[in-house]
Amino acid sequence: MTDRQLAELALDARKHAYVPYSNFKVGAALLCSDGTVFTGCNVENAAYGSTICAERTALVKAVSEGQRSFTAIAIAGSGDDFCWPCGSCRQMLFEFAPDLRVLAVRPDGQFQTTALTELLPHAFGPTALN
Ligand code: THU
Protein backbone atom coordinates (compact mmCIF):
# COMPACT_ATOMS: atom_id res chain seq x y z
CA MET A 1 0.00 0.00 0.00
CA THR A 2 1.59 3.24 -1.12
CA ASP A 3 0.90 6.65 0.38
CA ARG A 4 -0.79 7.59 -2.88
CA GLN A 5 -3.11 4.58 -2.67
CA LEU A 6 -3.95 5.31 0.96
CA ALA A 7 -4.72 8.92 0.03
CA GLU A 8 -7.03 7.75 -2.74
CA LEU A 9 -8.89 5.46 -0.30
CA ALA A 10 -9.41 8.41 2.06
CA LEU A 11 -10.74 10.56 -0.77
CA ASP A 12 -13.11 7.78 -1.79
CA ALA A 13 -14.30 7.17 1.79
CA ARG A 14 -15.84 10.65 1.84
CA LYS A 15 -18.70 9.41 -0.33
CA HIS A 16 -20.49 7.79 2.63
CA ALA A 17 -20.14 10.80 4.93
CA TYR A 18 -23.39 11.76 6.68
CA VAL A 19 -23.09 15.54 7.02
CA PRO A 20 -26.53 17.24 7.01
CA TYR A 21 -25.32 19.93 9.46
CA SER A 22 -21.83 20.95 8.36
CA ASN A 23 -21.93 19.69 4.77
CA PHE A 24 -18.20 19.01 5.30
CA LYS A 25 -17.38 15.48 4.14
CA VAL A 26 -14.31 13.76 5.57
CA GLY A 27 -12.87 10.37 4.69
CA ALA A 28 -10.10 8.44 6.40
CA ALA A 29 -8.08 5.34 5.53
CA LEU A 30 -6.18 3.65 8.36
CA LEU A 31 -3.37 1.25 7.47
CA CYS A 32 -2.85 -1.64 9.89
CA SER A 33 0.57 -3.20 10.45
CA ASP A 34 -0.61 -6.39 8.71
CA GLY A 35 -1.49 -4.40 5.57
CA THR A 36 -5.25 -4.30 6.11
CA VAL A 37 -6.93 -0.93 5.52
CA PHE A 38 -10.03 0.29 7.35
CA THR A 39 -11.85 3.31 5.98
CA GLY A 40 -14.23 5.66 7.75
CA CYS A 41 -16.27 8.81 7.25
CA ASN A 42 -17.77 11.40 9.55
CA VAL A 43 -21.26 10.65 10.80
CA GLU A 44 -23.07 13.67 12.22
CA ASN A 45 -25.97 13.80 14.64
CA ALA A 46 -28.77 16.22 15.48
CA ALA A 47 -27.22 16.32 18.95
CA TYR A 48 -24.06 17.85 17.45
CA GLY A 49 -21.69 16.61 20.14
CA SER A 50 -22.55 13.03 19.29
CA THR A 51 -20.96 13.41 15.85
CA ILE A 52 -18.05 11.09 15.15
CA CYS A 53 -15.14 12.07 12.93
CA ALA A 54 -13.92 10.02 9.99
CA GLU A 55 -10.66 9.10 11.72
CA ARG A 56 -12.36 7.74 14.80
CA THR A 57 -14.87 5.86 12.68
CA ALA A 58 -11.97 4.11 10.93
CA LEU A 59 -10.18 3.49 14.22
CA VAL A 60 -13.13 1.97 16.05
CA LYS A 61 -13.97 -0.16 13.04
CA ALA A 62 -10.43 -1.51 13.06
CA VAL A 63 -10.14 -2.06 16.81
CA SER A 64 -13.54 -3.73 16.92
CA GLU A 65 -12.27 -6.16 14.28
CA GLY A 66 -9.25 -7.10 16.39
CA GLN A 67 -6.64 -4.66 15.05
CA ARG A 68 -4.36 -2.92 17.53
CA SER A 69 -1.35 -1.88 15.48
CA PHE A 70 -1.32 0.85 12.83
CA THR A 71 1.32 2.49 10.67
CA ALA A 72 -0.42 5.31 8.80
CA ILE A 73 -3.66 7.17 8.34
CA ALA A 74 -4.77 9.33 5.43
CA ILE A 75 -7.44 11.98 5.95
CA ALA A 76 -9.31 13.79 3.19
CA GLY A 77 -11.68 16.69 3.75
CA SER A 78 -13.78 18.67 1.35
CA GLY A 79 -12.40 22.16 1.83
CA ASP A 80 -9.69 23.62 -0.37
CA ASP A 81 -6.90 22.92 2.09
CA PHE A 82 -5.25 19.91 3.69
CA CYS A 83 -7.40 18.22 6.31
CA TRP A 84 -5.55 17.62 9.58
CA PRO A 85 -7.11 15.55 12.37
CA CYS A 86 -8.90 17.26 15.23
CA GLY A 87 -7.58 17.05 18.79
CA SER A 88 -9.90 14.23 19.86
CA CYS A 89 -8.83 12.11 16.90
CA ARG A 90 -5.13 12.78 17.58
CA GLN A 91 -5.63 11.57 21.14
CA MET A 92 -7.58 8.46 20.13
CA LEU A 93 -4.98 7.54 17.50
CA PHE A 94 -2.10 8.06 19.95
CA GLU A 95 -3.58 5.42 22.27
CA PHE A 96 -2.81 2.68 19.74
CA ALA A 97 -0.21 4.18 17.44
CA PRO A 98 2.20 6.75 18.89
CA ASP A 99 4.47 6.19 15.88
CA LEU A 100 1.70 6.74 13.34
CA ARG A 101 2.36 8.64 10.12
CA VAL A 102 -0.41 11.09 9.21
CA LEU A 103 -1.22 12.04 5.63
CA ALA A 104 -3.39 15.13 5.20
CA VAL A 105 -5.01 14.97 1.78
CA ARG A 106 -6.39 17.82 -0.28
CA PRO A 107 -9.37 17.26 -2.59
CA ASP A 108 -7.04 17.68 -5.60
CA GLY A 109 -5.08 14.65 -4.39
CA GLN A 110 -2.02 16.48 -3.09
CA PHE A 111 -1.00 15.42 0.39
CA GLN A 112 1.39 16.32 3.19
CA THR A 113 2.85 13.81 5.63
CA THR A 114 3.90 14.23 9.24
CA ALA A 115 4.25 12.22 12.43
CA LEU A 116 1.44 12.01 14.97
CA THR A 117 3.94 13.10 17.63
CA GLU A 118 4.40 16.35 15.69
CA LEU A 119 0.65 16.93 15.89
CA LEU A 120 0.35 15.88 19.54
CA PRO A 121 3.62 16.64 21.38
CA HIS A 122 4.03 15.53 25.00
CA ALA A 123 0.97 13.35 24.58
CA PHE A 124 -0.76 11.64 27.46
CA GLY A 125 -0.88 7.95 26.65
CA PRO A 126 -1.06 4.45 28.13
CA THR A 127 2.48 4.55 29.54
CA ALA A 128 1.56 7.54 31.71
CA LEU A 129 -0.68 5.26 33.77
CA ASN A 130 2.06 2.73 34.57
N1 THU B 1 -14.33 16.19 11.12
C1 THU B 1 -13.74 14.98 10.90
O1 THU B 1 -14.38 14.03 10.43
N2 THU B 1 -12.43 14.85 11.20
C2 THU B 1 -11.65 15.84 11.71
O2 THU B 1 -10.50 15.59 12.10
C3 THU B 1 -12.16 17.20 11.78
C4 THU B 1 -13.64 17.32 11.71
C5 THU B 1 -15.76 16.34 10.83
C6 THU B 1 -16.65 16.46 12.03
C7 THU B 1 -17.83 17.19 11.46
O3 THU B 1 -18.71 16.23 10.90
C8 THU B 1 -17.26 18.03 10.33
O4 THU B 1 -15.98 17.50 10.06
C9 THU B 1 -17.14 19.51 10.66
O5 THU B 1 -16.47 19.70 11.85
Side-chain angles (χ1 to χ4, degrees):
M1 174 65 53
T2 64
D3 284 356
R4 164 62 46 205
Q5 289 171 320
L6 199 65
E8 290 297 331
L9 288 173
L11 287 163
D12 191 54
R14 296 177 303 173
K15 67 174 179 273
H16 296 306
Y18 174 73
V19 291
Y21 308 107
S22 74
N23 201 34
F24 188 83
K25 294 184 175 190
V26 184
L30 179 63
L31 179 61
C32 307
S33 296
D34 70 1
T36 309
V37 175
F38 284 81
T39 60
C41 63
N42 50 338
V43 180
E44 297 185 344
N45 191 273
Y48 299 164
S50 297
T51 291
I52 186 168
C53 292
E55 300 93 313
R56 278 178 285 153
T57 300
L59 181 66
V60 299
K61 281 173 66 177
V63 173
S64 66
E65 297 289 331
Q67 300 284 350
R68 294 275 177 91
S69 181
F70 309 102
T71 58
I73 188 168
I75 305 143
S78 42
D80 290 337
D81 212 345
F82 298 103
C83 188
W84 296 101
C86 79
S88 295
C89 291
R90 294 176 195 200
Q91 182 68 36
M92 284 284 288
L93 291 165
F94 187 84
E95 178 77 17
F96 294 95
D99 296 324
L100 195 69
R101 289 192 314 119
V102 179
L103 283 65
V105 187
R106 241 172 28 192
D108 67 2
Q110 296 294 311
F111 58 87
Q112 292 184 348
T113 306
T114 192
L116 180 59
T117 49
E118 291 290 325
L119 300 175
L120 194 66
H122 305 291
F124 185 89
T127 59
L129 297 175
N130 290 337

